[in-house]
Amino acid sequence: MAASPSGLAAGIGTVVHAVMEEASTSDDRDLSVERLWQGIERRWGELAFESPWLEEKERRRTRTLTAGVSEYLRDFERAGGVLLGSEGAFELRLGRALVRGTIDRVERTPDGTVVIVDLKTGNRTPSAGPSGVVTCVVSTARSRVAS
C-alpha cells in the first residue's frame, strides 16, 4: 500500500533528519551534499511511492532539500557553532496542558546564544522564513548562555 502524501512527507523528513543527525555526530564530520545524499539513498527504499513519476519528483525535491541542509550545517560549523544536542525529547506542563515533542537540534552560536532549531523538510516553506532557497532552519527560541 502506498503512503498518503502526508505520510510520505513525514517518511522523507524522518530519513533526512536521521541522515543529518548521523553526519553531524560522525567522527569525520563530512557534511557535504554527496555524503548526506549517500545516506538518504541508503534509506530511500524504506519509502513507499504510488508511482515512479512521484518517486522521481520527490527524489529531486529531496536532493534540493539535502543541498540546503548541507549548506546550513557547513555554514554553522564554519562560523564556530557547536551542536549541543539533537533529537532530544521534551515535556512541558502549561497549566492543565502537557506539551511533548522532540527538538531537532540545540545549538550554541559563537556569541554564546543557545538556539533551538526546528528543521523544515516538508513541501511548505514557513511563511515567516526566507523565500528562494529551501528553508531548512527556523529558530524557535533563543536565550543567552551565562558566561
Side-chain angles (χ1 to χ4, degrees):
M1 178 184 227
S4 69
S6 61
L8 179 59
I12 291 171
T14 297
V15 168
V16 170
H17 278 81
V19 168
M20 180 208 58
E21 182 177 2
E22 178 184 299
S24 293
T25 58
S26 69
D27 290 335
D28 69 3
R29 312 293 291 172
D30 183 355
L31 303 172
S32 67
V33 176
E34 294 75 24
R35 169 70 182 275
L36 296 177
W37 189 248
Q38 286 172 358
I40 290 169
E41 284 283 305
R42 276 195 312 273
R43 297 194 55 189
W44 195 255
E46 299 172 20
L47 304 168
F49 297 92
E50 292 179 9
S51 63
W53 71 264
L54 181 58
E55 179 177 2
E56 185 55 36
K57 174 185 170 208
E58 291 301 322
R59 185 181 301 274
R60 284 191 310 270
R61 186 185 72 76
T62 304
R63 179 67 186 210
T64 301
L65 175 66
T66 303
V69 169
S70 173
E71 180 181 8
Y72 172 77
L73 294 174
R74 289 183 320 201
D75 287 351
F76 173 74
E77 284 209 343
R78 274 193 297 270
V82 176
L83 178 64
L84 300 176
S86 60
E87 299 300 323
F90 72 91
E91 186 173 293
L92 173 67
R93 185 162 297 280
L94 297 171
R96 294 188 346 222
L98 180 62
V99 179
R100 290 185 185 149
T102 304
I103 296 171
D104 293 338
R105 290 172 60 92
V106 180
E107 302 172 344
R108 185 175 58 232
T109 63
D111 71 356
T113 301
V114 172
V115 182
I116 297 173
V117 177
D118 181 30
L119 296 157
K120 296 299 172 197
T121 58
N123 288 324
R124 294 189 197 145
T125 300
S127 59
S131 59
V133 179
V134 175
T135 301
C136 8
V137 180
V138 177
S139 299
T140 56
R142 291 182 178 257
S143 66
R144 180 62 84 171
V145 174
S147 301

